[in-house]
Amino acid sequence: MSAPAAGASATQPRPEVRTGLAAPTLASRRLAERFQDIEDLRREAKRRLPKGVFEFFDRGSEDEISLAENRAAFRRIKLRNKVLVDVSNRSPRSELFGKPLAMPLVVAPTGIAGLTWYMGELELARAAQRFGVPFTLATPSITSIETIAQVEGGRNWFQLYMWRDREASYQLVKRARDAGFEALILTVDTQVSPIREYNRRNGFNSPFTFNWKIAADVAMHPGWLLNVLLPYMRTTGMPRPIHYPKGSAGRATSGLAGMASAMRGDDLSWDDIARLREIWPGPMMIKGVHLPEDAERAVKEGLDGVILSNHGGRNLDGAVSPIEILPEIVAAVGNRTNVLIDSGVRRGSDILKALALGAKAVLSGRCGLYGTAVGGQEGALHALSILRKELDTSMAYTGCRSVDEAGPRTVWLGPETTLGRDR
Ligand SMILES: Cc1cc2nc3c(=O)[nH]c(=O)nc-3n(C[C@H](O)[C@H](O)[C@H](O)COP(=O)(O)O)c2cc1C
């Protein structure tokens, strides 16, 4: 019998261990019955969304080596039981930039996430607020900075793709600042447009444009047409990245490639950091770091964090998986700045592995997207609850009463893994 002893929880209430959310609604109970893990949500998202839309969210770039490797790298890391520790008062709560987190996770920025659900970005932001974690709005979002700012009590972060037109980018950053956003993430790993052949094969484009391929695809998903696309068309028009000036991504003919070229960052350099720092008063991070010397430089530039990321396997294919380089970067700068990682988190145990190797928190992109596609705000909340439940379970087995207790002894890196080689 592997279940925890009932006696421990009967004598000692453990409110922290549960999600801390309000009593489950009918919708949330139904979701909990039907979708046990993130993969269940992914399968249902696949069924609901047009193929072109689903693949845009789900897939990687080129041969999808990094996409697969992100999961494989987490799987290679093993956890160790720590026995006979009273974990009855454990809690996955954490803290970042002086504010509490319901668990050490941040909703990652994902462009055009509003195609998952009508006002999907707002629903996802509301779910994050209800759950108690920050939500990051991507530059290429369908929903505006000011609309997201209306989520009461929300910890909103803004992700910036720096445009060639610096002044236009600074205007966006000022809008996020004036709207009360808490933190700024400058994405530094999208120097050029990534190669994602399937978008072309599927006829998928952003702004969403009709061609015969996508029309046939949408016709086979009438639920998405009725509940997502038509409501947009009746209210704000064809969904498009709202922060992009018309004539760049806003022009129907420019499409994903046009958006990518407008968001082009191939002239971005360290020189840009100081100017952003002048405009942005709060915590600022860069996302897409792989090298210790870049992390060192980020510290020198006074940044509040570095995010190790390969963009969820969507940009440089063959890029290293962040979890594999985490120990190296933590050794270099972990005592001077916050090291966060993303790419491949699908289980709560993945979060624990990242914490054990020195991450302050993880970001997750696709988990929230799958959840939102399945059930809007409730679906996103369910995805977060699944991760937290799994994290809590892994913490109990590994003897961690708090996330700070996760450390090198929590994991086994093994002689076979790249992580283990220099240990
Ligand atoms: C559909 C999608 C769109 C994304 N759009 C952006 C974006 O606009 N800006 C950005 O910095 N990262 C973007 N990302 C990358 C995420 O912020 C994050 O790095 C990635 O999703 C992490 O991997 P995961 O999905 O395995 O959690 C996107 C990811 C996905 C899946």
Side-chain angles (χ1 to χ4, degrees), residues 202-224:
N202 291 334
F204 179 79
N205 236 320
S206 171
F208 197 79
T209 35
F210 271 108
N211 49 53
W212 68 268
K213 273 185 188 165
I214 211 76
D217 193 0
V218 170
M220 282 159 64
H221 296 85
W224 186 82

Side-chain angles (χ1 to χ4, degrees), residues 82 85-87 89-91 93 352 355-356 395 398-411:
K82 182 159 176 63
V85 177
D86 177 357
V87 289
N89 274 316
R90 69 193 176 277
S91 166
R93 286 184 182 277
L352 186 64
L355 298 175
M395 285 177 66
T398 54
C400 297
R401 288 160 295 198
S402 72
V403 293
D404 296 336
E405 289 187 349
R409 308 279 305 150
T410 311
V411 288

Side-chain angles (χ1 to χ4, degrees), residues 56-59 67 70 108-112 138-141 159-161 185 187 189-190 196 263 287 309-314 342-346 363-367 369:
F56 171 75
F57 290 133
D58 187 63
R59 295 190 62 178
L67 181 74
N70 286 343
T110 52
I112 54 175
T139 302
S141 59
Q159 175 268 326
L160 181 70
Y161 278 133
I185 294 178
T187 297
D189 70 355
T190 311
R196 302 177 189 152
M263 70 167 68
K287 171 169 168 282
S309 172
N310 65 20
H311 219 98
R314 295 167 66 80
D342 74 19
S343 300
V345 170
R346 298 290 183 277
L363 286 80
S364 170
R366 292 187 183 83
C367 295
L369 292 175

